């Protein structure tokens, strides 16, 4: 203590507490001796770990910082710099661990000590900075000492001569004080800014630069005084612009060039005070030949314009415009062009937001005049290459503000309209109309208070004339642009009158139904967009005409085959158009009855084939998906469509039972399958309260034959889905519609008589002889089991199911049906992690050895791990646990591999097929760790005669080829041979997948591939003459890549 006081004139009793009692003194003396021992070991024994032990003692209250300093007395007084350095290092390391425990008096003494040490030998300075860093984090630091510390650092330390970590310590000290002692630092005025400039000047390390840039930004944003050092602060940061940094490989710090660019940009674009220095720099870099410098400059200009006004920009506007114009006119980089356009928009926006000066000069107006002068005349040359760059520049300027848009639009639109009328070629007109379309899209961006100032009002008639002429032009491409322009025009509120909209609707109708038009899909999309805004126009002019098309005399259609096909295509379009325009509730109420009436009349007259019925259902499904966006429309759809479809289907089923004639079209499996998503979409999004009455009605219908809620319910006999005899097998197909209704319901919807329903579905899934019926019953049963709450009811259902499955697999007549039920129930339980899923999966694996069911069981593994479109998916609110596929893989792939090795030769393909289906459904990240153990099986699967196995395995292998170089290199002989053999497979999909894998191999290291280069090139000559174009295409790509292997620049 005496030595410390002598070398550093601060009285130690200022931090000494009142003297403790004699017994406590002896304890303290013992502890002090322990500290002295640790200090001695650290300083003399060079054991750095002792510093942590000293810190631990101090945290435990066994010693104080005063005792540590006293123990260091002789070290700190040593004439040897390294010994003094070790002493200061120990004290700093302890402070970094224990700074929250320091008192104000202790902090004050330590600050004075460390300030004095800054004048010591350069070897000691890094350790002093560590100590000051610890003190800068102390909340007990007395007022004014932060300024003292920084003054000392600025005066005594030449920061850029220090190592990176020590320089980082200085930046950290400054950062800590700026966060907690802002007012103190601001009291330094511009001296603080100047001091930091000296600290940062010459910094090169990216780790430190990130911190330094943040400090500069904080100095500016938090309004520290810059004084006369604005230019110096700019220079000390702008010298790094543009950033040229390539991170070293395997950089542990993860600092990227983009990090530095963004951080520096935030500094340069943080204050208007930098404008007079920054803008000339940006212009200089934009005029350079370095692409990255151009890009960075344009992005920085874009960011700077947010805070710049007319005052800052005025002097540099001509040069900035010249540089931007050149980059857009001449650049070969789309990215630089895009940034140039964005910078122009930012400039115009900044000028638009600035207040006009006292001299009355409007810089925005004069700047836009320059833009118009340099670009406008190019719009008269639609065949020249500068027409589009000029249009883009004008559109970017117009998109900046209302004033910009008004001025540009009023100058450009008359010219473009005139040019359209002067040019007669479709290609030229298309270019001009596309430019017009770009300007029209900008009109909705800025809404002005004074509607009289709408720039398009004066040109509305001319615009409509031009757009309508494009819609009648023979050119498909010009028509398409006309449709887009028509959509934009119609979306501009208040522009088109009622008479204009009538013409618009008529043109769209013509494009939809005319036989030779190719843009009918675009016309339907446009109709859907505009129908939201003008529902009455479409309800009065398009919907009746489309309905009339559907009612055309079908007898006449069948007289000539060509005519029938043409009319059939128009009929399909009319159906699609009716659903496309149903984007407003009032239109939904018009189109839904039309589609249902068409379906009802068609069924009664038997005038439609299955494809037509399917088209109607597809239109109803599209309409249902649109209705899901509007609660009113969805509820109307639900109440109207579901009873009607059920009534039609039951009518068809009962008629068929009564007459024993040929099955009606409505009972066709494809038609019923098309009905499923229609009913599902109408049920899945309704709240439990709304859907509850419908659930009771539909369950009453299927369980008890209650048809009272159906329209036109005078059926010839009673509907009995579950009680019907085997002669009524076709009637059982309607279980698909029951599945479509109950499976998509939300999980909290209560289903009445659930136990009875499950029992009947279970019986039907085993007893029915119709594959469609028993599959639908199994899917419906599985969908309900998946969402059934855990408890006694579910346990009883599953117990009964297991008994039926076990007995059914013994009975030769029902084995296929039971396997279908087993697959769907297993999937339902696997999705929800039910414990019984393991037992069921083991049962499926055992069936792979079954001579009769083995192939079907193997195909079933694809069902278990893939998404199902109609049940057990997220849209149906199924209980799907996260990562269920990964869990299924982990639990069952080892069993499959083990069973494969133990299986007889004739059954091994079944195990390979099951394995390939499981692997094909997994993400690459999950497969990679298991690849070494599975690769031999995958290669064996490529030799399996089953083409499904081959395709599934190839699909699984392709994404793994790039990430398993080491493993694959051990099997390259086998892999290359098998892939080349599969390029001649009789199945086109297998040939394509094999060629894609051969192509993917070229990404492997060159030394692995070169031994096989000639073998592959010779083998790929045959697929070049394949009879299928898609195969030839893949062969050309793959062979070309193999040809280039090893060539210069490849």
């Amino acid at each position: 203590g005496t030595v410390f006081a002598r070398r550093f004139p601060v009285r130690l009793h200022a931090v000494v507490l009142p003297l403790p009692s004699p017994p406590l003194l002896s304890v303290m003396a013992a502890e002090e001796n322990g500290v002295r021992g640790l200090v001695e070991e650290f300083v003399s024994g060079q054991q750095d770990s002792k510093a942590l032990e000293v810190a631990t003692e101090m945290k435990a209250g066994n010693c104080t910082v005063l005792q540590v300093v006293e123990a260091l007395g002789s070290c700190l007084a040593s004439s040897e710099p390294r010994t003094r350095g070790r002493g200061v290092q120990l004290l700093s390391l302890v402070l970094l661990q224990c700074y929250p425990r320091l008192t104000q008096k202790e902090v004050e003494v330590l600050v004075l000590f460390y300030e004095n040490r800054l004048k010591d030998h350069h070897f000691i300075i890094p350790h002093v900075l560590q100590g000051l860093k610890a003190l800068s984090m102390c909340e007990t630091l007395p007022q004014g000492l932060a300024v003292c510390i920084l003054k000392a650092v600025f005066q005594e330390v030449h920061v850029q001569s220090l190592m990176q970590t020590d320089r980082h310590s200085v930046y950290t000290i400054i950062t800590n004080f700026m966060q907690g002692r802002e007012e103190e630092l601001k009291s330094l005025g511009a001296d603080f800014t100047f001091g930091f400039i000296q600290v940062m000047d010459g910094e090169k390390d990216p780790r430190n630069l990130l911190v330094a840039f943040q400090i500069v930004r904080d100095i500016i944003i938090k309004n520290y005084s810059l004084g006369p050092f604005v230019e110096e602060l700019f220079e000390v940061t702008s010298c790094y612009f543009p950033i040229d940094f390539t991170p070293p490989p395997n950089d542990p710090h993860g600092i990227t060039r983009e990090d530095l660019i963004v951080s520096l940009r935030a500094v340069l674009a943080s204050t208007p005070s930098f404008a007079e220095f920054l803008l000339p720099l940006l212009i200089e870099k934009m005029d350079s030949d370095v692409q990255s410098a151009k890009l960075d400059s344009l992005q920085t200009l874009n960011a700077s314009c947010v805070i710049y006004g007319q005052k800052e920009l005025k002097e540099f506007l001509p040069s900035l415009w010249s540089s931007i114009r050149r980059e857009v006119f001449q650049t070969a980089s789309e990215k630089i062009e895009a940034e140039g356009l964005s910078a122009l928009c930012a400039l115009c926006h900044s000028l638009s937001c600035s207040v006009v000066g006292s001299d009355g000069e409007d810089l925005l107006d004069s700047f836009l005049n320059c833009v118009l002068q340099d670009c406008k005349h190019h719009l008269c040359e639609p065949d020249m290459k500068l027409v589009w760059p000029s249009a883009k520049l004008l559109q970017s300027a117009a998109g900046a503000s209302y004033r910009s848009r008004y001025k540009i639009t009023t100058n450009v639109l008359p010219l473009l309209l005139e040019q359209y009328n002067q040019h007669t070629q479709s290609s030229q007109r298309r270019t001009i109309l596309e430019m017009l379309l770009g300007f029209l899209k900008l009109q909705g961006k800025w809404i002005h208070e004074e509607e009289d100032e709408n720039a398009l009002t004066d040109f509305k008639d001319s615009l409509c004339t031009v757009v309508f002429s494009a819609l009648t032009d023979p050119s498909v491409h010009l028509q398409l642009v006309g449709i887009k322009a028509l959509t934009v025009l119609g979306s501009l509120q208040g522009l088109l009158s009622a008479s204009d909209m009538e013409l618009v609707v008529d043109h769209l109708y013509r494009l939809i139904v005319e036989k030779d038009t190719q843009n009918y899909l675009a016309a339907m999309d446009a109709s859907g967009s505009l129908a939201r805004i003008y529902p009455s126009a479409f309800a009065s002019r398009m919907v009746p005409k489309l309905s009339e098309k559907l009612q055309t005399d079908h007898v006449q259609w069948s007289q000539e085959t060509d005519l029938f096909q043409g009319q059939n295509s128009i009929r399909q379009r009319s159906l699609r158009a009716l659903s496309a325009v149903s984007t407003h509730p009032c239109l939904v109420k018009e189109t839904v009855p039309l589609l249902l009436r068409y379906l009802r009349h068609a069924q009664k007259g038997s005038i439609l084939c299955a494809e037509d019925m399917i088209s109607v259902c597809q239109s109803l499904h599209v309409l249902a998906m649109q209705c899901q966006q509007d609660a009113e429309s969805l509820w109307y759809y639900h109440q109207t469509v579901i009873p009607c479809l059920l009534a039609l289907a039951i009518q068809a089923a009962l008629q068929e039972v009564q007459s024993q004639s040929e099955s009606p079209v409505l009972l066709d499996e494809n038609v019923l399958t098309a009905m499923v998503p229609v009913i599902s979409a109408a049920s899945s999004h309704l709240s439990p309260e709304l859907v509850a009455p419908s659930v009771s009605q539909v369950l009453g219908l299927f369980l008890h034959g209650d048809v009272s809620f159906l329209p036109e319910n005078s059926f010839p006999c009673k509907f009995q889905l579950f009680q019907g005899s085997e002669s009524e097998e076709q009637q059982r197909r309607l279980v698909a519609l029951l599945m479509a209704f109950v499976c998509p319901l939300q999980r909290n919807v209560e289903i009445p008589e659930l136990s009875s329903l499950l029992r009947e579905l279970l019986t039907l899934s085993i007893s029915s002889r119709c594959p469609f019926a028993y599959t639908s019953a199994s899917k419906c049963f599985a969908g309900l089991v998946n969402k059934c709450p855990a408890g006694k009811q579910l346990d009883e259902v599953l117990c009964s199911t297991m008994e039926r499955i076990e007995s059914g697999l013994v009975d030769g007549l029902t084995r296929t049906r039971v396997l279908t039920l087993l697959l769907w129930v297993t999937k339902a339980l696997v999705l929800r992690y039910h414990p019984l899923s393991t037992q069921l999966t083991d049962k499926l694996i055992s069936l792979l050895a079954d001579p009769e069911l083995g192939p079907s069981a193997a195909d079933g593994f694809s069902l278990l791990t893939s998404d199902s479109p109609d049940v057990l998916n997220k849209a149906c609110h199924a209980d799907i646990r996260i990562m269920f596929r990964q869990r299924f893989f982990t639990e069952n792939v080892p069993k499959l591999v083990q069973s494969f090795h133990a299986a007889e030769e004739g059954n091994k393909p079944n195990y390979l097929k099951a394995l390939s289906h499981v692997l094909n459904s997994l993400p690459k990240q999950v497969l990679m760790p298991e690849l070494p153990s599975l690769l031999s099986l995958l290669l064996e699967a490529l030799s399996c005669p089953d083409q499904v196995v081959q395709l599934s395995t190839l699909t699984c292998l392709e994404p793994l080829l790039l990430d398993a170089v080491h493993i694959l290199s051990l099997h390259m002989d086998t892999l290359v041979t098998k892939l080349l053999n599969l390029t001649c497979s009789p199945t086109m999909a297998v040939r394509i997948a094999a060629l894609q894998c051969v192509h993917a191999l070229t990404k492997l290291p060159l030394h692995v591939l070169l031994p096989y280069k000639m073998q592959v090139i010779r083998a790929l000559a045959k697929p070049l003459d394949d009879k299928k174009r898609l195969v030839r295409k893949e062969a050309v790509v793959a062979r070309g890549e193999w040809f280039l292997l090893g060539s210069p620049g490849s």
Side-chain angles (χ1 to χ4, degrees):
T2 307
V3 174
F4 182 72
R6 183 173 65 249
R7 292 185 57 83
F8 191 45
V10 177
R11 296 188 61 85
L12 289 176
H13 63 76
V15 294
V16 176
L17 296 174
L19 289 174
S21 61
L24 187 58
L25 281 173
S26 61
V27 174
M28 292 176 62
E31 292 171 347
E32 187 174 339
N33 289 332
V35 173
R36 287 184 185 278
L38 293 173
V39 168
E40 185 66 26
E41 291 179 22
F42 181 89
V43 176
S44 303
Q46 301 292 313
Q47 298 184 37
D48 291 351
S49 62
K50 298 303 176 182
L52 184 58
E53 294 184 29
V54 174
T56 304
E57 290 291 318
M58 188 170 167
K59 287 180 181 178
N62 297 331
C63 65
T64 64
V65 69
L66 171 63
Q67 290 172 324
V68 175
V69 172
E70 288 178 343
L72 284 168
S74 59
C75 303
L76 300 177
S78 172
S79 59
E80 176 59 41
R82 292 194 177 274
T83 303
R84 297 201 305 277
R86 287 292 286 179
V88 175
Q89 182 183 7
L90 173 61
L91 181 60
S92 296
L93 291 173
V94 171
L95 292 180
L96 284 170
Q97 294 290 323
C98 304
Y99 66 86
R101 302 177 61 87
L102 298 178
T103 66
Q104 185 170 333
K105 289 289 186 180
E106 289 172 336
V107 171
E108 187 175 352
V109 172
L110 288 167
V111 167
L112 293 173
F113 166 71
Y114 276 117
E115 284 183 14
N116 186 270
R117 290 304 92 203
L118 285 174
K119 302 174 183 177
D120 206 331
H121 194 278
H122 67 85
F123 179 79
I124 300 174
I125 300 301
H127 309 310
V128 176
L129 293 173
Q130 289 292 315
L132 290 174
K133 182 168 73 172
L135 295 175
S136 70
M137 295 185 282
C138 286
E139 294 182 2
T140 54
L141 185 74
Q143 189 78 12
L145 287 190
V147 171
C148 295
I149 291 174
L150 287 182
K151 281 184 175 180
V153 171
F154 292 159
Q155 291 171 7
E156 305 295 343
V157 182
H158 184 250
V159 176
Q160 291 307 317
S161 65
L162 301 175
M163 299 292 287
Q164 181 270 326
T165 52
D166 304 323
R167 302 199 304 275
H168 194 275
S169 295
V170 176
Y171 296 125
T172 305
I173 293 168
I174 297 172
T175 301
N176 290 340
F177 285 148
M178 291 182 73
Q179 290 174 351
R181 308 281 170 158
E182 183 177 330
E183 294 305 318
E184 290 183 48
L185 268 56
K186 286 184 177 179
S187 67
L188 279 170
D191 290 344
F192 172 70
T193 303
F194 179 69
F196 177 75
I197 290 171
Q198 290 180 308
V199 167
M200 183 183 172
D201 192 14
E203 181 60 65
K204 295 180 180 178
D205 191 277
R207 292 165 288 183
N208 292 344
L209 283 173
L210 284 178
V211 184
F213 290 154
Q214 184 60 48
I215 292 173
V216 177
R217 188 169 186 275
D218 287 342
I219 288 174
I220 296 169
I221 297 299
K222 294 181 179 179
N223 296 317
Y224 283 77
S225 174
L226 304 183
F229 304 116
V230 175
E231 185 173 1
E232 286 77 5
L233 187 62
F234 175 79
E235 291 295 336
V236 81
T237 50
S238 64
C239 63
Y240 301 100
F241 183 86
I243 294 289
D244 183 17
F245 169 66
T246 303
N250 303 318
D251 179 18
H253 307 287
I255 297 174
T256 64
R257 178 173 176 269
E258 189 64 25
D259 293 333
L260 292 167
I261 288 174
V262 171
S263 187
L264 177 57
R265 185 178 301 146
V267 173
L268 299 178
S270 61
T271 173
S273 302
F274 283 169
E276 60 180 308
F277 315 113
L278 177 61
L279 292 176
L281 175 64
L282 296 181
I283 293 168
E284 176 191 340
K285 299 302 179 184
M286 278 191 277
D287 295 344
S288 71
D289 296 327
V290 182
Q291 296 296 302
S292 60
K294 291 175 182 286
L295 187 64
D296 203 356
S297 300
L298 289 166
Q299 291 172 337
T300 305
L301 175 61
N302 201 338
S304 301
C305 286
V306 175
I307 60 169
Y308 290 177
Q310 292 195 18
K311 176 184 174 184
E312 290 78 21
L313 294 171
K314 180 178 180 180
E315 179 185 350
F316 305 100
L317 281 175
S319 300
L320 287 170
W321 164 239
S322 176
S323 298
I324 292 172
R325 180 188 60 203
R326 185 186 62 253
E327 293 310 319
V328 176
F329 276 178
Q330 300 177 7
T331 187
S333 166
E334 291 184 5
K335 196 166 186 179
I336 290 179
E337 177 188 312
E339 292 298 339
L341 295 173
S342 180
L344 176 60
C345 183
L347 273 174
C348 292
H349 182 70
S350 179
L351 295 175
S352 301
C353 295
S354 302
V355 179
V356 178
S358 56
D359 55 1
E361 182 181 8
D362 187 353
L363 279 182
L364 174 66
D365 190 68
S366 56
F367 181 69
L368 291 178
N369 285 334
C370 291
V371 175
L372 285 164
Q373 180 181 348
D374 290 343
C375 297
K376 189 176 174 182
H377 62 280
H378 291 301
L379 303 183
C380 302
E381 304 164 339
D383 292 328
M384 305 302 287
K385 74 172 190 175
L386 289 182
V387 64
W388 270 115
S390 299
K392 290 177 181 178
L393 285 166
L394 288 167
Q395 287 166 6
S396 293
S401 66
Y402 174 83
R403 289 174 58 206
S404 298
R405 190 208 72 190
Y406 190 86
K407 182 172 181 66
I408 297 288
T409 301
T410 52
N411 278 272
V412 170
L413 279 188
L415 176 65
L416 290 177
L417 292 170
E418 179 187 348
Q419 291 298 311
Y420 184 91
N421 293 321
Q422 287 182 0
H423 292 83
T424 56
Q425 292 184 16
S426 295
S427 59
Q428 295 172 328
R429 286 191 159 191
R430 176 189 171 192
T431 301
I432 295 168
L433 190 56
E434 283 177 337
M435 290 189 287
L436 260 174
L437 177 60
F439 287 102
L440 291 176
K441 287 179 178 178
L442 297 172
Q443 303 306 306
K445 187 176 179 181
W446 304 103
I447 307 299
H448 200 260
E449 297 159 357
E450 301 178 28
E451 295 183 2
D452 295 340
E453 292 192 33
N454 191 330
L456 293 183
T457 304
D458 296 336
F459 308 109
K460 186 200 73 171
D461 293 337
S462 300
L463 282 168
C464 288
T465 302
V466 165
V467 172
F468 292 157
S469 73
L471 296 178
T472 55
D473 194 273
S475 169
V476 174
H477 300 296
L478 181 55
Q479 273 186 21
L480 184 59
V481 181
I483 293 170
K484 293 177 182 178
L486 191 65
T487 307
V488 175
L489 269 181
S491 65
L492 298 175
Q493 191 173 4
L495 183 65
L496 298 183
S497 63
S499 58
D500 294 329
M501 276 311 303
E502 289 179 358
L503 286 173
V504 168
V505 174
D506 290 344
H507 277 291
L508 290 174
Y509 171 76
R510 177 183 55 78
L511 290 170
I512 290 172
V513 300
E514 274 189 359
K515 181 179 178 181
D516 297 328
T517 55
Q518 299 179 33
N519 290 315
Y520 64 91
L521 290 176
M524 289 181 194
D525 290 339
S527 299
S529 300
L530 295 176
R532 291 188 184 93
I533 309 170
Y534 307 97
S536 57
F538 283 86
S540 61
R541 296 193 70 83
M542 182 176 283
V543 172
K545 291 180 180 178
L546 291 172
S547 175
E548 186 179 344
K549 279 289 179 187
L550 293 177
Q551 303 305 323
T552 305
D553 186 4
H554 300 282
V555 178
Q556 179 185 352
W557 290 4
S558 59
Q559 292 177 356
E560 294 185 27
T561 304
D562 293 340
L563 180 62
F564 174 79
Q565 290 175 350
Q567 292 286 10
N568 188 46
S569 174
I570 294 171
R571 190 168 24 156
Q572 305 284 344
R573 291 189 198 177
S574 301
L575 289 170
R576 294 179 67 173
L578 279 173
S579 61
V581 300
S582 303
T583 52
H584 192 277
C586 73
L587 284 167
V588 171
K589 293 176 182 178
E590 293 280 343
T591 56
V592 166
L594 278 176
L595 291 169
L596 293 177
R597 186 161 58 247
Y598 179 64
L599 200 60
R600 192 179 297 114
H601 291 333
Q603 187 216 354
K604 287 181 179 178
S606 298
I607 53 176
L608 291 186
C609 62
E611 289 76 11
D612 296 313
M613 290 280 197
I614 291 170
S615 296
V616 178
C617 292
Q618 288 172 343
S619 295
L620 284 169
H621 181 238
V622 171
L623 207 156
M625 299 303 290
Q626 293 169 181
C627 287
Q628 288 178 355
Q629 312 303 318
D630 180 76
E632 178 189 351
S633 299
L634 182 60
W635 179 235
Y636 171 79
Y637 183 94
H638 176 87
Q639 287 184 306
T640 308
V641 173
I642 291 180
C644 182
L645 290 183
L646 291 175
L648 289 174
I650 292 172
Q651 181 74 40
L654 297 181
Q655 281 179 352
E656 191 267 339
V657 170
Q658 196 78 3
S659 63
Q660 298 295 324
S661 60
E662 184 180 350
S663 178
V665 175
L666 204 58
L667 294 183
D668 184 273
E669 292 178 8
N670 294 324
V671 175
L672 290 173
T673 302
M675 282 178 144
V676 168
V678 177
I679 297 176
S680 296
S683 308
S684 59
H685 282 62
L686 285 177
S687 65
E689 297 76 18
L690 282 177
V691 81
S694 299
V695 174
S696 299
Q697 291 171 339
V698 173
L699 265 293
L701 169 67
F702 282 94
L703 287 175
H704 309 297
D706 181 5
V707 297
S708 58
F709 76 101
L710 297 179
E712 302 181 15
N713 53 17
S714 55
F715 302 122
C717 59
K718 187 174 181 181
F719 174 62
Q720 296 178 322
L721 176 67
F722 296 114
Q723 287 79 30
S725 63
E726 291 188 4
S727 62
E728 300 170 358
E729 190 66 44
Q730 294 293 336
Q731 188 180 159
R732 295 185 175 183
R733 294 184 179 190
L734 300 191
V735 72
L737 304 185
L738 172 63
M739 174 198 73
F741 182 85
V742 297
C743 287
L745 296 173
Q746 297 180 33
R747 276 185 252 173
N748 55 350
V749 175
E750 183 179 351
I751 299 177
E753 301 183 76
L754 179 59
S755 297
S756 299
L757 177 60
L758 289 171
R759 185 169 55 253
E760 297 289 357
L761 288 169
L762 180 60
T763 302
L764 182 60
S765 64
I766 296 175
S767 63
S768 176
R769 292 175 299 171
C770 172
F772 182 79
Y774 68 68
T775 301
S776 298
S778 298
K779 289 160 74 173
C780 187
F781 182 82
L784 293 172
V785 165
N786 173 264
K787 290 190 277 190
C788 188
K792 183 179 178 182
Q793 183 184 29
L794 177 61
D795 293 340
E796 290 176 352
V797 169
L798 292 178
C799 181
S800 173
T801 305
M802 288 299 297
E803 292 175 0
R804 299 289 290 270
I805 288 174
E806 291 291 348
S807 61
L809 288 174
V810 177
D811 184 359
L813 297 176
T814 62
R815 299 188 79 210
T816 302
R817 305 170 210 165
V818 172
L819 175 61
T820 302
L821 175 65
L822 174 60
L823 285 168
W824 282 103
V825 173
T826 303
K827 181 179 178 69
L829 299 183
V830 164
L831 292 178
R832 62 180 285 176
Y833 288 178
H834 193 279
L836 192 60
S837 63
T838 303
Q839 182 181 344
L840 294 175
T841 308
D842 291 343
K843 189 69 179 177
L844 282 172
I845 293 175
S846 69
L847 287 174
L848 294 173
D850 188 286
E852 179 188 355
L853 298 180
S856 300
D859 287 329
F861 277 82
S862 173
L863 169 70
L864 296 180
T865 54
S866 60
D867 293 324
S868 174
D870 43 12
V871 292
L872 297 176
N873 53 48
K874 290 183 179 178
C876 290
H877 310 289
D879 186 358
I880 302 177
R881 303 300 173 87
I882 188 171
M883 298 177 70
F884 78 91
R885 291 187 180 87
Q886 287 85 329
R887 177 171 173 167
F888 186 83
F889 168 85
T890 305
E891 291 180 351
N892 296 294
V893 165
K895 298 177 186 177
L896 285 170
V897 174
Q898 183 180 358
S899 301
F900 167 81
H901 290 302
E904 297 179 4
E905 199 63 35
N907 293 327
K908 285 191 173 184
N910 295 338
Y911 293 93
L912 288 175
K913 182 186 287 189
L915 182 65
S916 65
H917 284 317
V918 174
L919 298 182
N920 201 30
S921 65
L922 285 173
K924 182 173 64 175
Q925 295 82 352
V926 180
L927 277 178
M928 285 304 300
E930 307 295 333
L931 191 59
S933 60
L934 296 175
L935 186 58
S936 59
L937 283 178
L938 288 173
L939 293 175
E940 188 167 346
L942 292 178
S943 301
C944 179
D946 192 318
Q947 290 159 359
V948 175
V949 177
Q950 293 173 356
L951 183 59
S952 181
T953 306
L954 289 168
T955 308
C956 176
L957 267 178
E958 185 188 357
L960 300 176
L961 293 176
L962 303 181
D963 298 303
V965 179
H966 177 68
I967 302 168
L968 289 173
S969 61
L970 302 176
H971 300 271
M972 279 297 289
D973 286 335
T974 308
L975 181 62
V976 170
T977 303
K978 289 181 182 291
L979 289 177
L980 293 178
N981 289 338
L982 290 176
T983 60
C984 302
S985 166
T987 305
M988 182 182 76
V990 173
R991 298 199 299 274
I992 291 175
L995 287 166
Q996 289 171 341
C997 286
V998 173
H999 181 201
L1001 285 176
T1002 60
K1003 306 301 180 184
L1004 297 179
L1006 188 61
H1007 69 276
V1008 176
L1009 300 176
L1010 281 179
Y1012 307 95
K1013 178 176 178 180
M1014 295 313 300
Q1015 175 190 354
V1016 174
I1017 290 174
R1018 284 194 298 269
L1020 292 184
K1022 185 175 180 180
L1024 291 176
D1025 294 326
D1026 197 279
K1027 60 183 178 180
K1028 295 294 184 180
R1029 180 184 62 83
L1030 294 176
V1031 178
R1032 297 196 300 272
K1033 178 182 175 183
E1034 293 292 342
V1036 168
V1037 174
R1039 197 165 188 254
E1041 290 295 329
W1042 277 89
F1043 256 119
L1044 293 174
L1045 285 177
S1047 61
S1050 64

